[in-house]
Amino acid sequence: MARAKGQSARTPTVAASPTVPTTKASLEPTPLPPTFYSFSRLGDHLHAVRWELALVGAGFAVIGFKDWDWGNTSGFQTIEEGWFSKNTRHGGMDKIGHSFSTYVIADLLTDRIRAHATDPTGAPITAALLAFSIMSLAEAMDGFTGRHRFSHEDIVANGVGALFSIVRNSVPGLSEKLDWRFMYTPASYERPGITGDNGILPPYERQRYIMALKGSGFETLKNTPLRYAELHVGFDARGFEDKERELGYPIERSFYVGVGLNLNEVLFGSGPNPNFARYRDTLPGWAARKTLEYVQVPYTSVYAESRFSTIRRVGTRFQD
């Protein structure tokens, strides 16, 4: 067929292949997941607790020079102290004291970092590192005293306390269920003649350490009277100190199992009874609650005692 003048031959059209639309999101790099811990975060945490660290350092300086004879000798000395055996100086009470002190410092610093840091992620790690460093520095200072000296066992004990703080503050719900406490036992708990001394810290013969499992931390017990109850496991060692030796008391190491009253729940819990719950988040309320997490108030618990060793002295020897 003839074409009309000026009419061009039609060429077949090819369908364009579909293209994926380019969006702004596809041009941006995939974001990296946030880091759990970093040096910048450590710096943020240190700045958040700078005043707390200053107070802890000042407190250690006062106690160290008054109670622990820091700087009393020019040479660095070490000692192998052992752990909990009958031939140790304190029956292991000093080792528990090191662990507990490290734990308390780490726990308090964890709270303050979480309250004041720009990014509190990893607060238990920072706090544990700081507490371990402080306690290890104090132990190094003990190396310059003829009375105590540097002990590798104390460094291990410090690490145990720091690790316990990390676990307790990292496992969800654990801090609501478990407390580690110290009791300064009253005279009625001790043998006749065992009193205090002139130091700032209480002597080992007046100390007991307790783990408390709190009913208020369990959902099934929160709305029952058992939220005010606790299960306790405790330990102390007696007869190791100079005054006890002078009085002729035997060496005894004891475990305790019992029940106690959860004073934090009584005073600051959300139960039906009138208390101070509305003040729990104030600074005085926080201080009171933390104190009751670390201190077992005497006469608020009952225990069954099990002495797992009693060793009587015969002259300078021991007799089981």
Side-chain angles (χ1 to χ4, degrees), residues 34-316:
T35 56
F36 177 73
Y37 204 77
S38 64
F39 283 108
S40 62
R41 187 164 297 161
L42 174 62
D44 174 35
H45 293 177
L46 289 173
H47 185 265
V49 292
R50 60 195 184 281
W51 298 116
E52 287 84 351
L53 291 175
L55 287 173
V56 171
F60 267 91
V62 171
I63 296 172
F65 287 106
K66 185 179 186 304
D67 276 12
W68 299 333
D69 297 330
W70 282 1
N72 206 25
T73 182
S74 58
F76 185 80
Q77 302 178 47
T78 64
I79 186 174
E80 295 294 330
E81 291 185 330
W83 296 97
F84 295 87
S85 74
K86 68 180 182 181
N87 295 318
T88 55
R89 296 174 65 186
H90 307 289
M93 293 295 288
D94 53 334
K95 301 299 169 280
I96 299 178
H98 269 265
S99 292
F100 181 77
S101 299
T102 307
Y103 153 67
V104 170
I105 295 171
D107 192 65
L108 288 171
L109 291 177
T110 298
D111 271 16
R112 305 319 293 164
I113 291 171
R114 284 173 169 169
H116 298 296
T118 304
D119 184 354
T121 305
I125 296 177
T126 300
L129 289 173
L130 291 173
F132 179 79
S133 299
I134 291 168
M135 290 294 294
S136 297
L137 178 59
E139 184 62 25
M141 291 295 294
D142 280 351
F144 294 97
T145 71
R147 177 182 172 188
H148 294 288
R149 292 166 286 180
F150 178 87
S151 165
H152 294 92
E153 293 93 337
D154 286 344
I155 297 296
V156 174
N158 295 342
V160 171
L163 181 60
F164 180 79
S165 176
I166 292 176
V167 173
R168 184 175 179 271
N169 285 290
S170 300
V171 176
L174 186 58
S175 61
E176 287 77 29
K177 295 180 177 69
L178 186 66
D179 285 352
W180 187 5
R181 298 181 192 149
F182 160 87
M183 181 194 289
Y184 182 24
T185 57
S188 61
Y189 280 46
E190 301 300 338
R191 298 154 169 164
I194 301 303
T195 59
D197 59 14
N198 296 323
I200 297 175
L201 298 179
Y204 291 124
E205 62 266 28
R206 296 288 296 275
Q207 296 182 16
R208 183 178 299 170
Y209 291 94
I210 296 160
M211 286 286 183
L213 189 66
K214 302 177 288 186
S216 59
F218 295 87
E219 289 294 334
T220 55
L221 303 179
K222 278 186 176 180
N223 295 321
T224 73
L226 289 177
R227 68 179 177 272
Y228 299 117
E230 302 173 336
L231 293 178
H232 289 185
V233 176
F235 172 83
D236 65 29
R238 298 292 184 259
F240 288 85
E241 306 308 315
D242 292 340
K243 180 175 288 187
E244 295 172 304
R245 293 172 184 267
E246 292 171 3
L247 294 171
Y249 288 127
I251 285 176
E252 294 177 344
R253 287 157 291 179
S254 303
F255 281 120
Y256 300 84
V257 178
V259 294
L261 181 66
N262 187 341
L263 291 181
N264 251 331
E265 188 66 20
V266 171
L267 297 176
F268 298 102
S270 57
N273 301 317
N275 59 13
F276 302 100
R278 61 177 176 170
Y279 302 110
R280 62 177 285 114
D281 293 325
T282 64
L283 183 58
W286 174 83
R289 288 188 293 110
K290 296 305 289 185
T291 299
L292 292 174
E293 285 184 20
Y294 309 134
V295 176
Q296 180 64 41
V297 178
Y299 309 110
T300 61
S301 53
V302 291
Y303 298 111
E305 178 183 4
S306 175
R307 295 174 181 168
F308 68 92
S309 69
T310 298
I311 305 169
R312 302 188 182 279
R313 294 185 178 86
V314 179
T316 57

Side-chain angles (χ1 to χ4, degrees), residues 11-19:
T11 58
T13 60
V14 179
S17 60
T19 58

